[in-house]
Amino acid sequence: MYKPHIDGIVNNSNKYKNIVFFQKSLLVETYIIGYKTEGETILFFIRADGGVSFSGLVDCYRSKDIDIVSSILRESGVNKLNFICWTHPDLDHSKGLKEMIKQYSSSETNIWIPEGVDAKEISCSEEVKNLFAYLKQCARSMETELNVYSVSDKKDLTYYDSLCFQKGIDAFPLNLISYTPNSKIMRKQNYLDKFIRNDRSIFFVLSLGQVRIWLTGDIEDATIEQIPKEFFAEHIHILKIPHHGSGTSTKIMELGWTDCDVACSTVYRKGRSHLPDEKVMAQYKKLAENLYCTGNEDRHKEKQEYGMVKVVTNVLDNSYTTVVQGNAEIWN
């Protein structure tokens, strides 16, 4: 049975499939990347004594001329990802993901997609349809079979490949726990022949030591309302604001947490949509010590095609630093 410890958890790490021993430092690097008009990607690395011991990608986007994720992976010396999560099949979370899977997945990569997400792929973009076709092709072929698993409700996304970091007697298990999509909502939509892509969106929490990082996709209030509050700590380290700071996803602020180190929204500016919503961001500003956006509040001042917020977290003492690039800035 686990016992609380000041830095981590008293050693019982023999229950984990993989153990990484370290002596000095345990860091989480989180990159929240957004493009000028649309597009969202989150990349994270866990570094033990400097080296990348675990790498994860959440969604994907790239423009015609810029592919920030591939650049970061090359600079970090990461050839294969350990974890890929495709939160939902909107194009602004999917463009370039097929190529990323082909290039950066291996027999050790676990890929998570929403439960039943391919039931109505005909209503998605051509790029997304091609990705579905590729995943189905790989499932049929033993030579290129991928580790693709589905997510619904509360699920342990490290179940098939558990990992624990250990420093002396202190153990720091990596936990990736999903809380959506809600299988009841999805089943009802299937019966009614509906396919609302945001209702399929995965929301999961990365936990390592006392660090909590919320990666929320495009979940909306109807789904958030189904999640019991007692699963969550009062303090969040990083919150990726759901659905680009939309007014339809504000109930994320009612899930039991009271403060946050870093909250960040990506932008969505197409048609009549101009996100994030200023009134919604004002609500987050009351809860977050640092509020960021991957785009400028005044889009006419933007000079780059992308914005990125990088957060480096020291798991041992819960300190952190932030760096912004491109159009990203503190939201005032």
Side-chain angles (χ1 to χ4, degrees), residues 294-321:
T294 60
N296 194 288
E297 290 184 64
D298 183 353
R299 62 187 299 182
H300 300 292
K301 294 182 180 180
E302 295 181 346
K303 298 179 180 180
Q304 305 291 329
E305 290 299 317
Y306 78 101
M308 180 174 73
V309 178
K310 175 184 177 182
V311 186
V312 180
T313 308
N314 186 327
V315 178
L316 299 184
D317 64 11
N318 295 319
S319 63
Y320 65 95
T321 59

Side-chain angles (χ1 to χ4, degrees), residues 149-276:
Y149 304 104
S150 57
V151 176
S152 70
D153 309 305
K154 188 172 185 286
K155 183 172 285 190
D156 180 1
L157 306 187
T158 62
Y159 176 78
Y160 294 110
D161 199 17
S162 57
L163 174 62
C164 184
F165 294 87
Q166 188 164 328
K167 180 179 185 288
I169 65 169
D170 296 331
F172 299 83
L174 172 65
N175 293 302
L176 304 171
I177 305 297
S178 68
Y179 297 96
T180 68
N182 182 286
S183 58
K184 175 185 175 181
I185 293 174
M186 290 188 297
R187 182 172 290 108
K188 182 176 181 178
Q189 289 184 7
N190 289 340
Y191 293 158
L192 297 174
D193 199 29
K194 291 183 178 180
F195 188 77
I196 301 173
R197 289 189 286 272
N198 285 351
D199 289 348
R200 310 269 165 164
S201 187
I202 295 171
F203 155 43
F204 74 95
V205 176
L206 183 157
S207 301
L208 187 63
Q210 301 301 313
V211 172
R212 302 290 183 270
I213 299 175
W214 287 26
L215 300 171
T216 58
D218 275 2
I219 56 169
E220 296 195 344
D221 287 342
T223 302
I224 299 170
E225 287 176 324
Q226 306 299 315
I227 306 172
K229 298 179 182 180
E230 62 266 22
F231 286 131
F232 307 106
E234 292 182 357
H235 180 78
I236 303 174
H237 175 59
I238 300 174
L239 169 66
K240 200 291 294 181
I241 294 174
H243 198 195
H244 320 288
S246 168
T248 61
S249 301
T250 59
K251 291 188 181 296
I252 196 76
M253 290 181 267
E254 300 176 11
L255 282 183
W257 59 281
T258 57
D259 60 281
C260 174
D261 291 334
V262 178
C264 181
S265 177
T266 57
V267 304
Y268 188 83
R269 300 160 173 165
K270 292 187 72 177
R272 296 182 179 179
S273 297
H274 185 85
L275 299 174

Side-chain angles (χ1 to χ4, degrees), residues 6 31 58 112 165 222 322:
I6 188 170
Y31 301 80
V58 183
W112 292 88
F165 294 87
T322 58

